[in-house]
Coordinates of all heavy atoms in Angstrom, one line a residue:
M2 N 68.9 166.9 -5.6 CA 68.3 165.6 -5.6 C 66.8 165.9 -6.0 O 66.1 166.6 -5.3 CB 68.4 164.9 -4.3 CG 67.7 163.6 -4.2 SD 67.9 162.9 -2.5 CE 68.0 161.2 -3.0
K3 N 66.4 165.2 -7.0 CA 65.0 165.4 -7.5 C 64.0 165.1 -6.4 O 63.0 165.8 -6.3 CB 64.8 164.6 -8.7 CG 63.5 164.8 -9.4 CD 63.3 164.0 -10.7 CE 61.9 164.1 -11.2 NZ 61.7 163.2 -12.4
F4 N 64.2 164.0 -5.7 CA 63.2 163.6 -4.6 C 63.0 164.7 -3.6 O 61.9 165.0 -3.2 CB 63.7 162.3 -4.0 CG 62.9 161.8 -2.9 CD1 61.6 161.3 -3.2 CD2 63.2 161.9 -1.6 CE1 60.8 160.8 -2.2 CE2 62.4 161.5 -0.5 CZ 61.2 160.9 -0.8
I5 N 64.1 165.4 -3.2 CA 64.0 166.4 -2.2 C 63.3 167.6 -2.8 O 62.5 168.2 -2.1 CB 65.4 166.9 -1.7 CG1 66.1 165.7 -1.0 CG2 65.4 168.1 -0.8 CD1 65.4 165.2 0.2
D6 N 63.6 167.9 -4.0 CA 62.9 169.1 -4.7 C 61.4 168.8 -4.7 O 60.6 169.7 -4.4 CB 63.4 169.3 -6.1 CG 64.8 169.7 -6.1 OD1 65.3 170.3 -5.1 OD2 65.5 169.5 -7.2
E7 N 61.0 167.6 -5.1 CA 59.6 167.2 -5.2 C 58.9 167.2 -3.8 O 57.8 167.7 -3.6 CB 59.4 165.9 -5.8 CG 59.8 165.8 -7.3 CD 59.8 164.4 -7.9 OE1 59.6 163.5 -7.1 OE2 60.0 164.4 -9.1
L8 N 59.6 166.7 -2.8 CA 59.1 166.7 -1.4 C 58.9 168.1 -0.9 O 57.9 168.5 -0.3 CB 60.1 165.9 -0.5 CG 59.7 165.6 0.9 CD1 58.5 164.7 0.9 CD2 60.9 164.9 1.6
Y9 N 59.9 169.0 -1.2 CA 59.8 170.4 -0.7 C 58.6 171.1 -1.4 O 57.8 171.8 -0.7 CB 61.1 171.1 -1.1 CG 61.0 172.6 -0.7 CD1 61.2 173.0 0.7 CD2 60.8 173.6 -1.6 CE1 61.1 174.3 1.0 CE2 60.7 174.9 -1.3 CZ 60.8 175.3 0.1 OH 60.8 176.6 0.4
E10 N 58.4 170.9 -2.7 CA 57.3 171.5 -3.4 C 56.0 171.0 -2.9 O 55.0 171.8 -2.7 CB 57.4 171.2 -4.9 CG 58.4 172.0 -5.6 CD 58.2 173.5 -5.5 OE1 57.1 174.0 -5.6 OE2 59.2 174.2 -5.3
M11 N 55.9 169.8 -2.5 CA 54.7 169.2 -2.0 C 54.3 169.8 -0.6 O 53.1 170.0 -0.3 CB 54.8 167.7 -1.8 CG 53.5 166.9 -1.6 SD 53.7 165.1 -1.4 CE 55.0 164.7 -2.5
Y12 N 55.3 170.1 0.2 CA 55.0 170.6 1.6 C 55.4 172.0 1.8 O 55.3 172.5 3.0 CB 55.8 169.7 2.6 CG 55.2 168.3 2.7 CD1 55.7 167.3 2.0 CD2 54.0 168.1 3.4 CE1 55.2 166.0 2.0 CE2 53.4 166.8 3.5 CZ 54.0 165.8 2.8 OH 53.5 164.5 2.8
R13 N 55.9 172.8 0.8 CA 56.4 174.1 1.0 C 55.4 175.0 1.7 O 55.8 175.9 2.5 CB 56.9 174.7 -0.3 CG 55.8 175.1 -1.2 CD 56.3 175.6 -2.5 NE 57.1 176.8 -2.3 CZ 57.9 177.4 -3.2 NH1 57.9 176.8 -4.4 NH2 58.6 178.4 -3.0
N14 N 54.1 174.9 1.5 CA 53.1 175.8 2.1 C 52.8 175.4 3.5 O 52.1 176.1 4.2 CB 51.9 175.8 1.2 CG 52.1 176.5 -0.1 OD1 52.9 177.4 -0.2 ND2 51.4 176.0 -1.1
K15 N 53.2 174.2 3.9 CA 53.0 173.8 5.3 C 54.2 174.0 6.2 O 54.0 173.8 7.4 CB 52.6 172.3 5.2 CG 51.2 172.0 4.5 CD 50.9 170.6 4.5 CE 49.6 170.2 3.9 NZ 49.2 170.7 2.7
L16 N 55.3 174.3 5.6 CA 56.5 174.4 6.4 C 56.6 175.8 7.1 O 56.2 176.8 6.5 CB 57.8 174.2 5.5 CG 57.9 172.9 4.8 CD1 59.0 172.8 3.9 CD2 58.0 171.7 5.8
T17 N 57.1 175.9 8.3 CA 57.2 177.1 9.0 C 58.6 177.8 8.9 O 58.8 178.9 9.4 CB 56.9 176.9 10.5 OG1 57.9 176.1 11.1 CG2 55.5 176.3 10.7
G18 N 59.5 177.0 8.4 CA 60.9 177.5 8.3 C 61.7 177.1 9.5 O 62.9 177.4 9.5
D19 N 61.1 176.4 10.4 CA 61.9 175.9 11.6 C 62.7 174.7 11.2 O 62.2 173.9 10.4 CB 60.8 175.6 12.6 CG 61.4 175.3 14.0 OD1 62.3 174.4 14.0 OD2 61.1 176.0 14.9
E20 N 63.8 174.5 11.8 CA 64.7 173.4 11.5 C 64.0 172.1 11.8 O 64.2 171.1 11.2 CB 66.0 173.5 12.3 CG 67.1 172.5 11.9 CD 68.4 172.8 12.6 OE1 68.9 173.9 12.5 OE2 68.8 171.9 13.3
E21 N 63.1 172.1 12.8 CA 62.4 170.9 13.1 C 61.5 170.4 12.0 O 61.2 169.2 11.9 CB 61.5 171.1 14.4 CG 62.4 171.2 15.6 CD 61.5 171.5 16.9 OE1 60.3 171.3 16.8 OE2 62.2 171.7 17.9
D22 N 61.0 171.3 11.1 CA 60.2 170.9 10.0 C 61.0 169.9 9.2 O 60.4 168.9 8.7 CB 59.9 172.1 9.1 CG 58.8 173.0 9.6 OD1 58.2 172.6 10.6 OD2 58.7 174.1 9.1
A23 N 62.2 170.1 8.9 CA 63.0 169.2 8.1 C 63.2 167.9 8.8 O 63.1 166.8 8.1 CB 64.4 169.8 7.8
D24 N 63.4 167.9 10.1 CA 63.5 166.6 10.8 C 62.3 165.8 10.8 O 62.3 164.6 10.5 CB 63.9 166.9 12.3 CG 65.2 167.5 12.5 OD1 66.1 167.4 11.6 OD2 65.4 168.1 13.6
I25 N 61.1 166.5 11.0 CA 59.8 165.8 11.1 C 59.5 165.2 9.7 O 59.1 164.1 9.5 CB 58.7 166.7 11.6 CG1 59.0 167.0 13.0 CG2 57.4 166.1 11.3 CD1 58.1 168.2 13.6
L26 N 59.7 166.0 8.7 CA 59.4 165.6 7.3 C 60.3 164.4 6.9 O 59.8 163.4 6.3 CB 59.6 166.8 6.3 CG 59.1 166.6 4.9 CD1 57.7 166.1 4.8 CD2 59.2 167.9 4.1
A27 N 61.6 164.6 7.1 CA 62.5 163.5 6.8 C 62.2 162.2 7.5 O 62.2 161.1 6.8 CB 64.0 163.9 7.1
F28 N 62.0 162.2 8.8 CA 61.7 161.0 9.5 C 60.3 160.4 9.1 O 60.2 159.2 9.1 CB 61.8 161.2 11.0 CG 63.2 161.4 11.5 CD1 63.6 162.5 12.1 CD2 64.1 160.4 11.3 CE1 64.9 162.7 12.5 CE2 65.4 160.5 11.8 CZ 65.8 161.7 12.4
S29 N 59.4 161.3 8.8 CA 58.1 160.8 8.3 C 58.2 160.0 7.0 O 57.6 158.9 6.8 CB 57.1 161.9 8.1 OG 56.8 162.5 9.4
V30 N 59.0 160.6 6.1 CA 59.3 159.9 4.8 C 60.0 158.6 5.0 O 59.7 157.6 4.4 CB 60.0 160.8 3.8 CG1 60.4 160.1 2.6 CG2 59.1 162.0 3.4
L31 N 61.1 158.7 5.8 CA 61.9 157.5 6.1 C 61.1 156.3 6.6 O 61.4 155.2 6.3 CB 63.1 157.8 7.0 CG 64.2 158.6 6.3 CD1 65.2 159.0 7.4 CD2 64.9 157.8 5.3
E32 N 60.1 156.6 7.5 CA 59.3 155.6 8.0 C 58.5 154.8 7.0 O 58.2 153.6 7.2 CB 58.3 156.2 9.0 CG 58.9 156.6 10.3 CD 57.9 157.2 11.3 OE1 56.7 157.6 10.8 OE2 58.2 157.3 12.5
Q33 N 58.3 155.4 5.9 CA 57.5 154.8 4.8 C 58.3 154.1 3.7 O 57.8 153.4 2.9 CB 56.6 155.9 4.1 CG 55.7 156.5 5.1 CD 54.9 157.7 4.4 OE1 54.6 157.6 3.2 NE2 54.6 158.7 5.2
L34 N 59.7 154.3 3.8 CA 60.5 153.7 2.8 C 61.1 152.4 3.3 O 61.4 152.2 4.5 CB 61.7 154.6 2.5 CG 61.4 156.0 1.9 CD1 62.6 156.8 1.7 CD2 60.6 155.9 0.6
D35 N 61.2 151.4 2.4 CA 61.9 150.2 2.7 C 63.3 150.3 2.1 O 63.7 151.3 1.5 CB 61.1 149.0 2.2 CG 61.0 148.9 0.7 OD1 61.7 149.6 0.0 OD2 60.1 148.1 0.3
R36 N 64.1 149.3 2.3 CA 65.5 149.2 1.9 C 65.6 149.5 0.4 O 66.4 150.2 -0.1 CB 66.1 147.9 2.3 CG 67.6 147.8 1.9 CD 68.2 146.5 2.3 NE 69.5 146.4 1.9 CZ 70.6 146.8 2.6 NH1 70.4 147.5 3.8 NH2 71.8 146.7 2.2
E37 N 64.7 148.8 -0.4 CA 64.8 148.9 -1.9 C 64.5 150.4 -2.3 O 65.1 150.9 -3.2 CB 63.8 148.0 -2.5 CG 64.3 146.6 -2.7 CD 65.6 146.5 -3.5 OE1 65.6 147.1 -4.6 OE2 66.5 145.9 -3.0
D38 N 63.5 151.0 -1.6 CA 63.2 152.4 -1.9 C 64.4 153.3 -1.7 O 64.7 154.2 -2.5 CB 62.1 152.9 -1.1 CG 60.7 152.2 -1.4 OD1 60.5 151.8 -2.5 OD2 59.9 152.1 -0.4
M39 N 65.1 153.0 -0.6 CA 66.3 153.8 -0.3 C 67.4 153.6 -1.2 O 68.1 154.5 -1.7 CB 66.7 153.6 1.2 CG 65.8 154.2 2.2 SD 66.3 154.1 3.9 CE 65.7 152.5 4.3
I40 N 67.6 152.3 -1.6 CA 68.7 152.0 -2.6 C 68.3 152.7 -4.0 O 69.2 153.3 -4.6 CB 68.8 150.5 -2.9 CG1 69.2 149.8 -1.6 CG2 69.7 150.1 -4.0 CD1 70.6 150.1 -1.1
T41 N 67.1 152.8 -4.3 CA 66.7 153.5 -5.6 C 67.0 154.9 -5.5 O 67.6 155.5 -6.4 CB 65.2 153.3 -5.8 OG1 64.9 151.9 -6.0 CG2 64.7 154.0 -7.0
L42 N 66.7 155.6 -4.3 CA 67.1 157.0 -4.1 C 68.6 157.2 -4.2 O 69.1 158.2 -4.8 CB 66.6 157.5 -2.8 CG 65.1 157.7 -2.6 CD1 64.8 158.0 -1.2 CD2 64.6 158.8 -3.6
I43 N 69.4 156.3 -3.7 CA 70.8 156.4 -3.7 C 71.4 156.3 -5.1 O 72.3 157.0 -5.5 CB 71.5 155.4 -2.7 CG1 71.2 155.8 -1.3 CG2 73.0 155.3 -3.0 CD1 71.6 154.7 -0.3
T44 N 70.8 155.4 -5.9 CA 71.3 155.2 -7.3 C 71.0 156.5 -8.1 O 71.6 156.7 -9.1 CB 70.7 154.0 -8.0 OG1 69.3 154.1 -8.0 CG2 71.1 152.7 -7.2
E45 N 70.0 157.3 -7.7 CA 69.7 158.5 -8.4 C 70.5 159.7 -8.1 O 70.5 160.7 -8.7 CB 68.2 158.8 -8.2 CG 67.2 157.8 -8.8 CD 65.8 158.0 -8.4 OE1 65.5 159.0 -7.7 OE2 64.9 157.3 -8.9
L46 N 71.4 159.5 -7.1 CA 72.2 160.6 -6.6 C 73.4 160.9 -7.6 O 73.9 159.9 -8.2 CB 72.9 160.3 -5.3 CG 71.9 160.2 -4.1 CD1 72.7 159.8 -2.8 CD2 71.2 161.5 -3.8
S47 N 73.8 162.1 -7.8 CA 75.0 162.4 -8.5 C 76.2 162.0 -7.7 O 76.1 161.7 -6.5 CB 75.1 163.9 -8.8 OG 75.3 164.6 -7.6
D48 N 77.3 161.9 -8.3 CA 78.5 161.6 -7.6 C 78.8 162.5 -6.4 O 79.1 162.0 -5.3 CB 79.8 161.6 -8.5 CG 79.8 160.4 -9.5 OD1 78.9 159.5 -9.4 OD2 80.6 160.5 -10.5
Q49 N 78.6 163.8 -6.6 CA 78.8 164.7 -5.5 C 77.8 164.6 -4.4 O 78.2 164.6 -3.2 CB 78.8 166.2 -6.1 CG 79.2 167.2 -5.0 CD 80.6 167.0 -4.5 OE1 81.5 166.9 -5.3 NE2 80.8 167.0 -3.2
E50 N 76.6 164.3 -4.7 CA 75.5 164.1 -3.7 C 75.9 162.8 -2.9 O 75.7 162.8 -1.7 CB 74.2 164.0 -4.4 CG 73.6 165.3 -4.9 CD 72.3 165.1 -5.7 OE1 72.2 164.1 -6.4 OE2 71.5 166.0 -5.6
L51 N 76.3 161.8 -3.6 CA 76.7 160.6 -2.9 C 77.9 160.8 -2.0 O 77.9 160.3 -0.8 CB 76.9 159.4 -3.9 CG 77.3 158.1 -3.3 CD1 76.2 157.6 -2.4 CD2 77.6 157.1 -4.4
Y52 N 78.9 161.5 -2.5 CA 80.0 161.8 -1.7 C 79.6 162.6 -0.4 O 80.0 162.3 0.7 CB 81.0 162.7 -2.5 CG 82.2 163.1 -1.8 CD1 83.3 162.3 -1.7 CD2 82.3 164.4 -1.2 CE1 84.4 162.7 -1.0 CE2 83.4 164.8 -0.5 CZ 84.5 163.9 -0.4 OH 85.6 164.3 0.3
N53 N 78.7 163.6 -0.6 CA 78.3 164.4 0.5 C 77.5 163.6 1.5 O 77.7 163.7 2.7 CB 77.4 165.6 0.0 CG 78.1 166.6 -0.8 OD1 79.4 166.6 -0.8 ND2 77.4 167.4 -1.5
L54 N 76.7 162.7 1.0 CA 75.8 161.8 1.9 C 76.7 160.9 2.8 O 76.6 160.8 4.0 CB 74.9 161.0 1.1 CG 74.0 160.0 1.8 CD1 73.0 160.7 2.7 CD2 73.3 159.1 0.8
V55 N 77.7 160.2 2.1 CA 78.5 159.3 2.8 C 79.5 160.1 3.8 O 79.7 159.7 4.9 CB 79.3 158.4 1.8 CG1 80.4 157.6 2.6 CG2 78.4 157.5 1.1
G56 N 79.9 161.3 3.3 CA 80.8 162.1 4.2 C 80.1 162.6 5.4 O 80.6 162.5 6.5
F57 N 78.8 163.0 5.2 CA 78.1 163.5 6.4 C 77.8 162.3 7.4 O 77.9 162.5 8.6 CB 76.7 164.1 5.9 CG 75.8 164.5 7.0 CD1 76.1 165.7 7.7 CD2 74.7 163.8 7.4 CE1 75.3 166.2 8.7 CE2 73.9 164.2 8.4 CZ 74.2 165.4 9.1
Y58 N 77.5 161.2 6.8 CA 77.2 160.0 7.7 C 78.5 159.6 8.5 O 78.4 159.4 9.7 CB 76.8 158.8 6.8 CG 76.6 157.5 7.6 CD1 75.4 157.3 8.3 CD2 77.6 156.5 7.6 CE1 75.3 156.2 9.0 CE2 77.4 155.4 8.3 CZ 76.3 155.2 9.0 OH 76.1 154.0 9.8
M59 N 79.6 159.6 7.8 CA 80.9 159.3 8.4 C 81.2 160.2 9.5 O 81.6 159.8 10.6 CB 82.0 159.2 7.4 CG 81.9 158.0 6.5 SD 83.2 158.1 5.1 CE 84.7 158.0 6.1
I60 N 81.1 161.5 9.3 CA 81.4 162.6 10.2 C 80.5 162.4 11.5 O 81.0 162.5 12.6 CB 81.2 164.0 9.6 CG1 82.4 164.2 8.6 CG2 81.2 165.0 10.7 CD1 82.1 165.4 7.7
E61 N 79.2 162.2 11.3 CA 78.3 162.1 12.4 C 78.6 160.8 13.2 O 78.5 160.9 14.4 CB 76.8 162.1 11.9 CG 76.4 163.4 11.3 CD 76.5 164.6 12.4 OE1 76.1 164.4 13.5 OE2 77.0 165.6 12.0
K62 N 78.9 159.7 12.6 CA 79.2 158.5 13.3 C 80.5 158.7 14.1 O 80.6 158.2 15.2 CB 79.3 157.3 12.3 CG 78.0 156.9 11.7 CD 77.0 156.6 12.8 CE 76.6 155.1 12.8 NZ 75.6 154.8 13.8
L63 N 81.5 159.3 13.5 CA 82.7 159.5 14.2 C 82.5 160.5 15.4 O 83.1 160.2 16.5 CB 83.8 160.1 13.3 CG 84.4 159.1 12.3 CD1 85.2 159.9 11.2 CD2 85.3 158.1 13.0
K64 N 81.7 161.5 15.3 CA 81.4 162.4 16.4 C 80.7 161.6 17.5 O 81.1 161.8 18.7 CB 80.5 163.5 15.9 CG 81.2 164.6 15.1 CD 80.2 165.7 14.7 CE 80.8 166.7 13.9 NZ 79.8 167.7 13.4
A65 N 79.8 160.8 17.1 CA 79.0 160.0 18.1 C 80.0 159.1 18.9 O 79.9 158.9 20.1 CB 77.9 159.2 17.5
K66 N 80.9 158.4 18.1 CA 81.8 157.5 18.7 C 82.8 158.2 19.7 O 83.0 157.7 20.8 CB 82.6 156.7 17.6 CG 83.5 155.6 18.2 CD 84.0 154.7 17.1 CE 84.8 153.6 17.6 NZ 84.0 152.7 18.4
M67 N 83.3 159.3 19.2 CA 84.2 160.1 20.1 C 83.4 160.6 21.3 O 84.0 160.5 22.4 CB 84.7 161.3 19.3 CG 85.7 160.9 18.2 SD 86.0 162.2 17.0 CE 86.7 163.5 18.0
A68 N 82.2 161.0 21.2 CA 81.4 161.4 22.4 C 81.2 160.3 23.4 O 81.3 160.4 24.6 CB 80.1 162.0 22.0
R69 N 80.9 159.1 22.8 CA 80.7 157.9 23.7 C 82.0 157.5 24.4 O 82.0 157.1 25.5 CB 80.3 156.7 22.8 CG 78.8 156.6 22.6 CD 78.4 155.3 22.0 NE 79.2 154.8 21.0 CZ 79.1 155.1 19.7 NH1 78.1 155.8 19.3 NH2 79.9 154.5 18.8
E70 N 83.1 157.7 23.8 CA 84.4 157.4 24.4 C 85.0 158.5 25.1 O 86.2 158.5 25.5 CB 85.3 156.8 23.3 CG 84.8 155.5 22.7 CD 85.8 154.9 21.8 OE1 86.9 155.3 21.7 OE2 85.3 153.9 21.1
E71 N 84.2 159.6 25.3 CA 84.6 160.8 26.1 C 85.8 161.5 25.6 O 86.6 162.0 26.4 CB 84.7 160.4 27.6 CG 83.5 159.8 28.2 CD 83.6 159.4 29.6 OE1 84.7 159.3 30.1 OE2 82.5 159.2 30.2
F72 N 86.0 161.5 24.3 CA 87.1 162.4 23.8 C 86.7 163.8 23.7 O 87.4 164.7 24.1 CB 87.6 161.9 22.4 CG 88.4 160.6 22.4 CD1 87.9 159.5 21.8 CD2 89.6 160.6 23.1 CE1 88.7 158.3 21.8 CE2 90.3 159.4 23.1 CZ 89.9 158.3 22.5
G73 N 85.5 164.0 23.2 CA 84.9 165.3 23.1 C 85.9 166.3 22.6 O 86.7 166.1 21.7
D74 N 85.9 167.5 23.2 CA 86.8 168.6 22.8 C 88.1 168.6 23.6 O 88.9 169.5 23.5 CB 86.1 169.9 23.0 CG 84.9 170.1 22.0 OD1 85.0 169.5 20.9 OD2 84.0 170.8 22.3
T75 N 88.3 167.6 24.5 CA 89.5 167.7 25.4 C 90.7 167.1 24.7 O 91.8 167.4 25.2 CB 89.2 166.9 26.6 OG1 88.9 165.5 26.3 CG2 88.0 167.4 27.4
K76 N 90.6 166.4 23.6 CA 91.8 165.8 23.0 C 92.0 166.5 21.6 O 91.1 166.5 20.8 CB 91.6 164.3 22.8 CG 92.8 163.6 22.4 CD 92.7 162.1 22.6 CE 94.0 161.5 22.5 NZ 94.0 160.1 22.9
M77 N 93.1 167.0 21.4 CA 93.4 167.7 20.1 C 94.0 166.7 19.1 O 94.8 165.8 19.5 CB 94.4 168.8 20.3 CG 93.9 169.9 21.2 SD 92.5 170.8 20.5 CE 93.3 171.6 19.2
V78 N 93.7 166.9 17.9 CA 94.2 166.1 16.8 C 95.4 166.9 16.2 O 95.2 168.0 15.9 CB 93.2 165.8 15.7 CG1 93.8 165.1 14.5 CG2 92.0 165.1 16.3
P79 N 96.6 166.2 16.1 CA 97.7 167.0 15.5 C 97.4 167.5 14.1 O 96.7 166.8 13.3 CB 98.8 165.9 15.4 CG 98.4 164.8 16.3 CD 96.9 164.9 16.4
S80 N 97.7 168.7 13.8 CA 97.4 169.3 12.5 C 97.9 168.6 11.3 O 97.3 168.6 10.3 CB 97.8 170.8 12.5 OG 99.2 170.9 12.6
D81 N 99.0 167.9 11.5 CA 99.6 167.2 10.3 C 98.8 165.9 10.0 O 99.0 165.3 8.9 CB 101.1 166.8 10.5 CG 101.3 166.0 11.8 OD1 100.5 166.0 12.7 OD2 102.3 165.3 11.8
S82 N 97.9 165.5 10.9 CA 97.1 164.3 10.6 C 95.8 164.6 10.0 O 95.1 163.7 9.6 CB 96.9 163.5 11.9 OG 96.1 164.2 12.8
V83 N 95.5 165.9 9.9 CA 94.2 166.3 9.3 C 94.4 166.5 7.8 O 95.4 167.2 7.4 CB 93.7 167.6 10.0 CG1 92.4 168.1 9.3 CG2 93.5 167.5 11.5
R84 N 93.6 165.9 7.0 CA 93.7 166.1 5.6 C 92.4 166.5 5.0 O 91.3 166.2 5.5 CB 94.3 164.8 4.9 CG 93.5 163.6 5.3 CD 94.2 162.4 4.6 NE 93.4 162.1 3.4 CZ 93.0 160.9 3.0 NH1 93.4 159.9 3.7 NH2 92.3 160.7 2.0
N85 N 92.5 167.1 3.8 CA 91.3 167.5 3.1 C 90.7 166.3 2.5 O 91.3 165.5 1.8 CB 91.7 168.5 2.0 CG 90.6 169.1 1.3 OD1 89.4 168.8 1.6 ND2 90.8 170.1 0.4
L86 N 89.4 166.1 2.7 CA 88.7 164.9 2.2 C 88.4 164.9 0.7 O 88.2 163.9 0.1 CB 87.4 164.7 3.0 CG 87.5 164.3 4.5 CD1 86.2 164.2 5.1 CD2 88.3 163.0 4.6
H87 N 88.3 166.1 0.2 CA 88.0 166.2 -1.3 C 88.5 167.4 -1.9 O 88.6 168.5 -1.5 CB 86.5 166.1 -1.4 CG 86.1 165.7 -2.8 ND1 85.7 166.6 -3.7 CD2 86.0 164.5 -3.4 CE1 85.4 165.9 -4.9 NE2 85.6 164.6 -4.7

C-alpha cells in the first residue's frame, strides 16, 4: 500500500522497531482521517490487500466475540467445518 510506504519513509528515523511504534503511528494517523479519507485509502488497495484487510478484521471481531461469550480455547471446532478462506 503506497500510503503505508510513504508513512514509513516519513517516520523511519523516529521508529525504535518496537511493536508499539506501529500502534501509536497508526492510531495517530487514524485520528486525523475522516470517513471519506478512509474510503479513498480503501479504493487504492489491490484486491489482495483488500482481502487481507477484511479477513484480518473478520478474524479479530470473531476472536473478540468468542472471548466475550467465554468460548476461548475450551471449545474445539470440528476439523471438517474448518475451510481454507482463500
Side-chain angles (χ1 to χ4, degrees):
M2 176 181 215
K3 185 179 175 185
F4 179 72
I5 296 300
D6 293 337
E7 291 171 356
L8 190 61
Y9 179 77
E10 284 302 317
M11 192 179 327
Y12 290 98
R13 74 183 299 167
N14 295 327
K15 293 177 174 56
L16 302 174
T17 64
D19 191 301
E20 191 174 299
E21 288 181 9
D22 285 350
D24 293 341
I25 292 167
L26 188 53
F28 287 118
S29 295
V30 169
L31 284 171
E32 285 178 345
Q33 298 174 36
L34 300 177
D35 62 18
R36 182 179 179 86
E37 279 301 311
D38 294 330
M39 288 187 273
I40 298 294
T41 299
L42 287 175
I43 289 171
T44 61
E45 294 173 356
L46 295 176
S47 70
D48 289 347
Q49 187 61 51
E50 288 171 325
L51 182 59
Y52 178 84
N53 293 345
L54 177 69
V55 173
F57 180 75
Y58 177 80
M59 290 173 63
I60 289 166
E61 292 302 312
K62 291 303 245 181
L63 285 168
K64 285 179 182 178
K66 185 168 186 63
M67 290 167 59
R69 277 192 313 272
E70 295 186 11
E71 298 179 348
F72 285 117
D74 294 331
T75 61
K76 193 166 191 171
M77 297 295 292
V78 176
S80 61
D81 60 336
S82 68
V83 177
R84 51 181 261 226
N85 190 355
L86 293 176
H87 200 261

